[in-house]
């Protein structure tokens, strides 16, 4: 699939430190240790509705991972999927009397626009579930051949992974069985389906149902893929096993990331004999809520990035508002958050437009340290606030550093992804924001 255009990434003097991130599997902040090329798989959208601020916050967190790795001197191979066939997409298309393909393509196009506006670095491989079906079918067949998967004998054609035979099952989430059963039922699983060997076995292939799209499947049974095998297969086909970070929101800790990992680990052990972990670290962004509830398509309490953009809100203010909270803290979206971000952006732009400012080197070093420390974006933002305040408060006799605003502007752009150049033209003028002065270079 086509991803979206990459924003310009300024080159900064020197290199940043190694990135430390919280790994859900180990339950602690650990050093990432990528090779020359860091490998990251970020779970993509299910395109049945527009990008809301919760999605955006999660993609921004992994965009910081990408930026910090690059600043530390690594190339980054970033993969993202699009769940372009699954229950929620088919249900929404059915509800609205729309073709599911058209719905998915339209919402994916809108997501690309939102990511472009938010200056999120695009994935190197942007891969849909539908285009991956032949690979998924081959994987399900392998698991069936090895006796690690089984078909139900109720005539549906559904195939399940036998998790009792998956040695690593539970290692990613660390949850006990009762918690797993509860979350599995809540998040698309079917613990009470008769005929399964184990309540926690996940579906790998769903035989065709009337009115649903289908493709030729394992052992000739038409149907469509399960959700977790989609991400396992796409990761194996692009970055392989043992990649550095598997990313998503905290609602993917279980079942999705647990099952993607055990599917891929079982396939690898079978196909190569190697016992490799799926990912080195499983990193999860906290949930964004509205009025005390998780923002979710099913609850309908959504604030869309595209709606804010349509109202003329500068995407850089949306980005700053979302980054003003730490990625691992559940938090609520409020209009105040956006007002504060708009004021902050205007202040940073005023300081960034000065020919001279407070010294840049400590800001660059501080930004690098804060972000490398488990993406402490609030700490990073506070440093830029202090620099902008010192720069703007300086009188004509103060000893300022020529060119410092350009270096700080480049650091804010490369590391936080916030462009301090003139506000991008939007569909409507921003009534609340200050007109931005162009940055002198
Ligand atoms: N297609 C699957 C992943 S393979 C999926 O979960 N799609 S999604 O559209 O439902 O979510 C896309 C990403 O946004 C996921 O990482 C999910 O964890 C994250 N997300 C969803 N809701 C929120 C929220 N309220 N706050 C933060 N992140 C969220
Ligand atoms: Zn996924």
């Amino acid at each position: 699939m086509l991803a979206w255009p990459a924003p310009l990434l300024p080159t900064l003097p020197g290199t940043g430190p190694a990135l430390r991130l919280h790994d859900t599997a180990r339950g602690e902040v650990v050093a990432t240790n990528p090779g020359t090329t860091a490998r990251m798989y970020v779970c993509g959208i299910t395109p049945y509705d527009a990008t809301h601020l919760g999605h955006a916050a999660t993609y921004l967190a992994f965009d910081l991972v990408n930026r910090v790795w690059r600043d530390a001197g690594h190339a980054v191979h970033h993969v993202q999927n699009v769940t372009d066939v699954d229950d929620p997409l088919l249900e929404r298309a059915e509800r609205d009397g729309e073709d599911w393909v058209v719905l998915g393509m339209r919402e994916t196009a809108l997501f690309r626009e939102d990511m472009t506006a938010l200056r999120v670095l695009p994935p190197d491989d942007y891969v849909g579930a539908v285009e991956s079906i032949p690979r998924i079918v081959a994987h399900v067949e392998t698991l069936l051949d090895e006796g690690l998967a089984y078909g139900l004998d109720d005539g549906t054609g559904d195939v399940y992974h036998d998790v009792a035979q998956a040695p690593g099952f539970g290692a990613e989430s660390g949850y006990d069985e009762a918690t797993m059963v509860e979350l599995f039922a809540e998040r698309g699983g079917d613990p009470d389906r008769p005929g399964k060997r184990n309540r926690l076995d996940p579906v790998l292939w769903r035989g065709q149902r009337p009115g649903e799209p289908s493709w030729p499947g394992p052992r000739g049974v038409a149907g469509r893929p399960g959700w977790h095998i989609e991400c396992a297969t796409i990761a194996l086909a692009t970055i392989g096993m043992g990649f550095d970070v598997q990313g998503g929101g905290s609602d993917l800790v279980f079942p999705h990331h647990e099952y993607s990992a055990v599917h891929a680990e079982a396939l690898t052990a079978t196909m190569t004999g190697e016992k490799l972990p799926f990912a080195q670290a499983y990193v999860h962004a906290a949930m964004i809520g509205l009025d005390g509830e998780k923002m979710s398509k099913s609850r309908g309490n959504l604030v869309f990035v595209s709606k804010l953009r349509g109202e003329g809100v500068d995407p850089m203010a949306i980005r700053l508002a979302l980054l003003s909270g730490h990625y691992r803290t559940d938090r609520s979206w409020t209009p105040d958050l956006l007002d504060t971000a708009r004021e902050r952006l205007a202040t940073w732009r005023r300081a960034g437009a000065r020919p001279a400012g407070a010294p840049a080197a400590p800001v660059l070093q501080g930004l690098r340290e804060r972000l490398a420390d488990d993406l402490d974006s609030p700490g990073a933002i506070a440093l830029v606030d202090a620099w902008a305040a010192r720069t703007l408060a300086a009188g004509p006799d103060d000893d300022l550093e020529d060119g410092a605003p350009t270096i700080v502007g480049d650091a804010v752009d490369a590391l936080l992804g916030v462009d301090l150049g003139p506000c991008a033209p939007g569909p409507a003028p921003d009534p609340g924001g200050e007109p931005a002065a162009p940055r002198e270079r």
Side-chain angles (χ1 to χ4, degrees), residues 41-59 62 80-84 86 88 111 227-228 230-231 246-253 256-257 260 283-290 293-297 299 301-302 327 330-331:
Y41 187 96
V42 180
C43 279
I45 53 162
T46 305
Y48 68 93
D49 213 337
T51 321
H52 61 62
L53 291 168
H55 301 134
T58 290
Y59 294 110
F62 293 98
Q80 193 171 128
N81 67 303
V82 184
T83 307
D84 55 0
D86 201 6
F111 177 71
W227 173 27
H228 320 299
E230 165 194 345
C231 286
Q246 159 72 310
S250 59
D251 57 344
L252 301 188
V253 171
H256 185 53
H257 286 172
S260 306
V283 180
H284 294 103
M287 290 291 113
I288 301 293
L290 189 71
E293 291 253 40
K294 174 192 161 188
M295 206 178 273
S296 74
K297 295 171 194 171
R299 283 196 182 84
N301 59 342
L302 307 176
Y327 84 102
D330 285 331
R331 54 207 193 274

Side-chain angles (χ1 to χ4, degrees), residues 19 21-25 32 39-45 54-55 57-66 69 77-83 111 172 227 231-232 235 239 243-254 256-258 260-261 278-287 327-328 375:
L19 172 63
L21 284 173
H22 184 269
D23 171 28
T24 300
T32 62
R39 293 173 293 154
M40 171 166 73
Y41 187 96
V42 180
C43 279
I45 53 162
H55 301 134
T58 290
Y59 294 110
L60 288 177
F62 293 98
D63 189 50
L64 294 185
V65 171
N66 196 336
W69 270 339
H77 190 162
H78 166 203
V79 180
Q80 193 171 128
N81 67 303
V82 184
T83 307
F111 177 71
E172 182 266 339
W227 173 27
C231 286
I239 44 177
F243 57 87
D244 298 286
V245 163
Q246 159 72 310
S250 59
D251 57 344
L252 301 188
V253 171
F254 194 89
H256 185 53
H257 286 172
E258 191 78 65
S260 306
F278 185 47
Q280 304 290 341
Y282 298 87
V283 180
H284 294 103
M287 290 291 113
Y327 84 102
R328 283 204 290 125
L375 310 178

Side-chain angles (χ1 to χ4, degrees), residues 320 323-325 344 348 367 376-386 416:
L320 259 186
L323 293 180
S324 66
R344 171 172 280 136
W348 288 12
L367 277 177
D376 177 12
S377 57
I381 287 172
L383 290 172
V384 183
D385 281 346
L416 284 172

Side-chain angles (χ1 to χ4, degrees), residues 133-201:
I133 286 175
R135 285 198 169 96
I136 295 173
V137 170
H139 281 164
V140 177
E141 265 170 352
T142 301
L143 293 172
L144 280 167
D145 290 347
E146 294 297 319
L148 300 173
Y150 58 96
L152 290 197
D153 57 10
D154 58 5
T156 56
D158 295 354
V159 178
Y160 283 82
H161 191 170
D162 184 358
V163 291
Q165 297 189 63
F169 184 59
E172 182 266 339
S173 66
Y175 293 154
D176 61 26
E177 190 169 336
T179 308
M180 286 185 183
V181 170
E182 192 185 320
L183 290 174
F184 189 52
E186 240 172 61
R187 298 173 179 167
D190 51 3
D192 299 325
R193 172 104 188 250
K196 284 168 58 172
R197 290 183 190 164
N198 183 313
R199 298 183 79 194
L200 286 169
D201 290 348

